[in-house]
Each structure stands twice: as structure tokens, then as C-alpha cells.
Amino acid sequence: AGLAWAAGLESQPPGEPGRALPPAPPSCPALAGVRTALPCSGPGHWVGQGPTHTVLIPTVCNFMSHEKCLKHVRIPCTSVAPSLVRVPVAHCFGPRGLHKRKFCAVCRKVLEAPALHCEVCELHLHPDCVPFACSDCRQCHQDGHQDHDTHHHHWREGNLPSGARCEVCRKTCGSSDVLAGVRCEWCGVQCGFGRLRSLVLPPACVRLLPGGFSKTQSFRIVEAAEPGEGGDGADGSAAVGPGRETQATPESGKQTLKIFDGDDAVRRSQFRLVTVSRLAGAEEVLEAALRAHHIPEDPGHLELCRLPPSSQACDAWAGGKAGSAVISEEGRSPGSGEATPEAWVIRALPRVQEVLKIYPGWLKVGVAYVSVRVTPKSTARSVVLEVLPLLGRQAEGPDSFQLVEVAMGCRHVQRTMLMDEQPLLDRLQDIRQMSVRQVSQTRFYVAESRDVAPHVSLFVGGLPPGLSPEEYSSLLHEAVATKATVVSVSHVYSSQGAVVLDVACFAEAERLYMLLKDMAVRGRLLTALVLPDLLHAKLPPDSCPLLVFVNPKSGGLKGRDLLCSFRKLLNPHQVFDLTNGGPLPGLHLFSQVPCFRVLVCGGDGTVGWVLGALEETRYRLACPEPSVAILPLGTGNDLGRVLRWGAGYSGEDPFSVLLSVDEADAVLMDRWTILLDAHEAGSAENGTADAEPPKIVQMSNYCGIGIDAELSLDFHQAREEEPGKFTSRLHNKGVYVRVGLQKISHSRSLHKQIRLQVERQEVELPSIEGLIFINIPSWGSGADLWGSDSDTRFEKPRMDDGLLEVVGVTGVVHMGQVQGGLRSGIRIAQGSYFRVTLLKATPVQVDGEPWVQAPGHMIISAAGPKVHMLRKAKQKPRRAGTTRDARTDAAPAPEGDPR
């Protein structure tokens, strides 16, 4: 239930009992145990699994609850959260940004300064809190470890919109004042993936072996600088940055200490500041240090060691050399009242035995883990022998299993196969030597010994077009010395200058990726992307996943926001950034999917780009005619207007957009081919031999010749000179008006410079300055250029009738009158085959992309099969709420592990 009533307790003085509060709202069956109002005090508050809360010790994670409500609490403290993750999956952090009314998932405080967010899930963090976050991102594909066909909820706490309602009791459960409410990040509440089940690419159908690639590389996300790596200063120690805090002047009678967690923190110069009383005892100082680092260990097994002040001494000390000062009740300590060192390090005392949790890996057994006692004689093999009977696998030989160590970092999940004779107690001590907290983020799995054949699909774009597979192989071998024994060309897209490499070695795949992504071949910059394998045979029978293309350069910064939103709402493997390889990688990934749809987020030029790529790869697709929806981000957005997607995106809920795509109606639209041939006219009139070679352009909306194209060309050149200024639709239209006013008195007498044939019949042109071929009833940001008046000479225009309408305009004033609805264009012809002869170099634009065409011929004809588009339904989609927690079919949420 909503917990806005508990706001303000974060400012409660530490060490004081909780103040009286208004009565708590009624508990919600689906969200039973969401926090209420006493602060967390110790290294864990998961009820039944560790210490419970009191109110007499400073807070650890700003968790609040009434004493009477503690028995209902189900939200884990940051210190014990890593032990409750079902499958460890690393996060993908984007660049820092401002996130209004969002809260940090670690310290639970509001995000006021620039913070980090995961590009795949709804995790938000302060930069200083990144080291304490656990690897609990969404599992979006199979990676050869713990692969299951069943899909579980992925619960995330808080950061719901203030109007979010519980799916069971229908009461408010979101809050903009505190971290409140939980929801599944796949479906909102229930899995099958909620209302978007037919659009989501199920994780069980995607396979990507990790190799040496990071999650950001696997998801084709632009990588940001990692927090906590190095520093702003020359040595990385003087600057304040991620993992470090700014020291403030302590109150009278108190002192501030730098606390490091093990050797790794000393090397990185990452510390937490702890303020304690000068009279505090050693035990109190140690407990404050453990709370600062979110360490759930028993203080009796730890100690604080003095760190020498000089950096040279720090380097020599790292590793736990003898002679370091240790805090004790009898000796000098930060609480002894005398001069004390500024920096201390948390160290683990040697142990003679320890209880270790062993997880069953991908073995299908009925327990989450088993506990075994390890001693100095315990090895990896002896632990496997002890664990197998507990898991019911005693009949199988131990040689078929191995012990795997998994380090669950927030950014990276690293797996290490342990040698049979590896002493486990020594291994645990080595981990604590590097970082005491790291032990809580390390798991041991007993897994079947099975060889997974290395396989990586590497998409390489930007190559010279028109080569054969052998020529591409030779070209890549010359550029990066590919190894023929492990690298082969599996797919060739010759017309687009792209290939897909099959690499049978992880190290070689990583080397090729790092070399190719920043390389230029024959003056062309290459693109390298890691693509997963899509297991199309596992797709549900009623599945029709959505392939999403986003142009982040369109619509100001809205394209970037949509890219992030769609990655979170869908599987990030089905969302592609068009500035990173274009549409071809996504079409290749979906080439074997029997039925899918496409959503293009961008302007009319972006839509034409994707439709052209679809046309070129149609014969390779198992679904040769996918339906295409549009989210208009451009300036004119004429095709989006005709298909009812609107004049432009203005911040609608991305979830509502996806629902509209799912409920849209399929319609047909003509596509047209324009053959540009400058040879004949250029040779005849100018006597030159350097005319442009013939080329083919695809058209969906309209083709303009003359004044219309000239204005588009001037706008395009202005945008190329200062792209940073063209971030809003209103500014763009203002620039169009300005360049139009500059051409208001311009006269080209276009009708004297071109010749027009329709259906091989010469057509006499009136006195015009622009000639426009239109395929859709929208031009120039929604104007009806053809007009609505009936005319017996022509058929009523439709975008699927196999006909183009030819219209003339007399100048800029006429165009302005058409834009204002005062006039229509001059109707000239209607047909399916056109031949235009340009007697002089003339501006031409196709779907908003302008250029100057040399003298010659333009032949416009139908492009073949009509394309399938999605038109937004007239009726509004049935709303299940405006927030993700309510995006299901209103069935009650099943109970389950919140992680």
C-alpha cells in the first residue's frame, strides 16, 4: 500500500526512538509487507532471515516500519539482498542524468544530484551507492547458465508513479515521497508478460553465450564511464567521485574516519566516511563501519586495522602486512580520545570453520540451496561429494559435477570453475582479504560438467557493397587478421555492405569486436555488433513479437528517452538503435521468426529507410511482409498523420503506445521506385562525360521537384551546419518559414525546364514553380495538396490504389496558402508510370530527403508488392491504468519471491 504518510522520517535524529505516526493504511494482500515506519538498524531486515529492526541505532538503509508491522515485512535490506537474488544478472548503466521523484534502491533516499539508472530495468542509484547494489537485473536471454523455460516474476520495489494502484485491492501503492510499492518489471503484476505478452520476445527464446562481452555490449547500448573506476585527480585518490564521500567538519566531540573495505578499496582509494563520538568504544566504531559498507558479517569475526597515511605505505600495506595497528578495547582506538589515524581498514579474522551455502545451479531439484560446513581440510571436490546426496543426485558420479564460484558484481557477473583440490576455507579468506562485503556477493554452485561450444555472431556493417563472400573474407583478413579456423562468414548482405561472422572462440570474438568497432576500411567507418541467437522454434504459437527501431536523433532528446523506455518495457534484444548499424542487424536477428511486427520511431525519412531495408531483405525473411507501425518523431510526419499516429510524439506513455500498436489495424500502402539516370541528358546538352551514374530511390510519401525541394534543401543544409539547434519541432518549422520568405520572390519557371510523360503520353505543364508526386493525402506537415473537391477526370486518391497524383504549385505564396487550407494545388495528372526529363540541374526531394539532381531522366513506377502498415485504431485502447503495476488483465497476482 502507499507509504507517502511515512515521509519525513528520514530526517529523524539517529539513535532516537521512532516518533508517533498516523495509523498505517490497510495492508494489501498482493503487497503484504511493504515497509511502514521504524528505521532499519542492523545488517539485515529480512524477517525470519537475520536480525530484525530496533530504533536505538542509526539507520543502515533508511527503512521505516512500525514495531507491530515488522512481522509483515518482506523487503530485504541492502546488506542481505544479494543472498536473495534468484539468478544473478548484471546491470547496464547509462550516462548520469537527473531523475525527478526517483529514489535510490540502496540508501532509499531521493535522487537530487545526477544519478545512474539501468537501461534494462528500473534500478536507480546514487553513484556512491553503486558498489552496494546487487546483480538483480532482468534475465533477458539464456546464457548457458541456469537456463529454464519457465519464467518467473522479476519484482522491483518503488519508483512507481504517484497514481499507481494495487492490482488486488485497487488502492494507491505508488508514492513520490518514499520508496513504496513493488511490481514485476516484465508484466506489471503477472507473468505471461501481462498486456504486452504478444509483443514481448520471451527470454527463453533468446540465447547469448557471454564470452568476454559486457552486458552493454550484448544489448548494443552506448557504454558510459564506470563509476568507481579511477578518480578525477591524477592518482585517483584526491578527487571526490563515485565510491567516495566529501568530508564535512564533524560536530564538537565527534570525529570523522575514512573506512576502507579490504585491499581492493585501498588500491582504488574508495572509502566511506564514518562520524563517531571521540569517546566511542571499538565495538561501536566497528559497527558503524559495517553499517557504512552494508556488511552483514558478525562483528566478532572482524577487526579494524590502521592504514598508514602515506600512499606508498598504503600500497605496501595492502595485503595485510604484520605490524598494522588494530582497534581493541585495551589499545588506542578512534574512541580513545587521543590522536588517531584518519584511515582504517576492515579486516576479517582467520576462521577454523564456516557454514557455506551451495546452490544447485541449473539442476532441477526442490531446494534453493544446501548448507555445508567447511574446514581447513575441505576442498571443492569434497564439498561436491557431500552436496550431491543432499540434492538427491548421489547415484551420479562426482566426476560429472564441478564447483563454480560466481562473483555477483552490480556491473559484471563473473564465473570461475574451481579446481578439485582448491581449499575452500582459504578461498573464502582470500575473498575477504580483497573485500569483506564481497563474500555476501559471492555464491558457490554445484553444476554439471558440460562443454558449451563457444559461439558468437558478430555483425559487421559499413563494408564496401557489392562484394562476394570470398572477397569479404579476404578484406577482413587483411584488416584484422581473422583466424580462418574459428571465423567464418555465415551471412552476406552485399547490397548493404554487411556480413555476419560466426566465431567459435570467445577470445577471438572479443578481439575482433574491439578492433572492428573503431576501424575504417577503404574510407568507410565500420560497425560491429554482438547479436544473440533467436530460438524461433521455442516461440509460443500466438506470439508476434515487436521489432523496435528508434532513431535517437529524431524528436530532440525524445528518441533517446523512448529507446530506454522500450528496452525496459520489452526485451532489450528486440530494441535497436538506428544510429548503431541501421535496421539491418534487427532484420537479420528476426529473419527466422515466422510472424513479427515492426515499430519505427522517427521521422518520415527514418520510416522510408526501414521500409527500404525491409524491401531489400524480404526474400530472406520467414515473415516476408511484417506490418509496420510508426511513432512519429520528425518535423512533418505526414505518413504518421495519415495512419492516425498523430502529428508528432508529445510525451505519451510508451506503454500506451505499445498497446495501440497491438490493437492497430493492418492496411496496405503503395511503394514507388524512382530511377535517376543523368547520362543521356548530360551528354546531349553539355557534352560532358562525368554525369552521375544511374541510381534507384524508393518513395513512400511524395516526390517534389523545384521550389518544394529547394526549401527542403536549404533547411537540410542549415541543420547540417548547426545540428544542436534543431531539437524541437517548433524551431524546425520556424526555419522552414524563414527559408520560405527568402524565396518568396524567386522564379525558376520550372515548366520550361522539365518535360513530363504520364503513361507514356506527353503532358503539357501549366506555369508552375514546383511539381509534386503524392502517394498519401498529406503533404508539408498535414496539408491536403490534392484537395477534397470531386473531379470526374480523376479517381478518388487512395494510398493503396496503385496510382500517384501529380500536383503543381506556383510558388512560396501558393505553398503557404495550401498549408493554411485556403487553396489546393493545381491538379495535373494521375497514373502509375511517369517519365520526367530534367533539362537543367534541379532540386529534388523524396520523402523529405533533398539533393540537386543533374540533368537527365527520372522514371517513377510501382515498386512491386505493397507494404503492410499498421493504422491506429479509432477507438481508444482499453486502459488498465497509466502505470506499469496495473498493466495486466486484472487477474490477482500470485504470491512469489519478490526477487
Side-chain angles (χ1 to χ4, degrees), residues 848-864:
E849 302 299 323
W851 71 92
V852 176
Q853 178 62 29
H857 296 294
M858 294 176 57
I859 298 176
I860 306 175
S861 60

Side-chain angles (χ1 to χ4, degrees), residues 506-523:
F506 290 137
E508 176 67 3
E510 188 176 4
R511 184 186 74 87
L512 292 177
Y513 175 82
M514 298 305 294
L515 289 175
L516 291 170
K517 69 186 184 76
D518 296 321
M519 177 176 289
V521 173
R522 298 184 184 178

Side-chain angles (χ1 to χ4, degrees), residues 683-720:
S683 301
E685 293 198 14
N686 301 330
T688 60
D690 57 350
E692 297 178 2
K695 64 178 181 181
I696 294 177
V697 178
Q698 301 289 334
M699 184 192 83
S700 301
N701 301 354
Y702 40 72
C703 169
I705 303 173
I707 187 63
D708 167 52
E710 192 170 349
L711 297 184
S712 295
L713 185 61
D714 290 347
F715 172 84
H716 178 76
Q717 291 172 345
R719 183 170 56 182
E720 290 293 315

Side-chain angles (χ1 to χ4, degrees), residues 280-344:
E283 182 179 349
E284 184 177 345
V285 175
L286 180 57
E287 288 180 350
L290 296 183
R291 285 195 298 272
H293 282 279
H294 301 269
I295 296 176
E297 295 269 341
D298 184 352
H301 296 151
L302 304 172
E303 63 183 6
L304 282 178
C305 298
R306 176 182 177 180
L307 181 66
S310 66
S311 59
Q312 292 83 3
C314 291
D315 294 337
W317 177 89
K321 285 195 170 186
S324 300
V326 178
I327 288 185
S328 63
E329 292 291 356
E330 294 81 11
R332 176 183 296 180
S333 74
S336 63
E338 301 185 22
T340 56
E342 182 186 23
W344 296 78

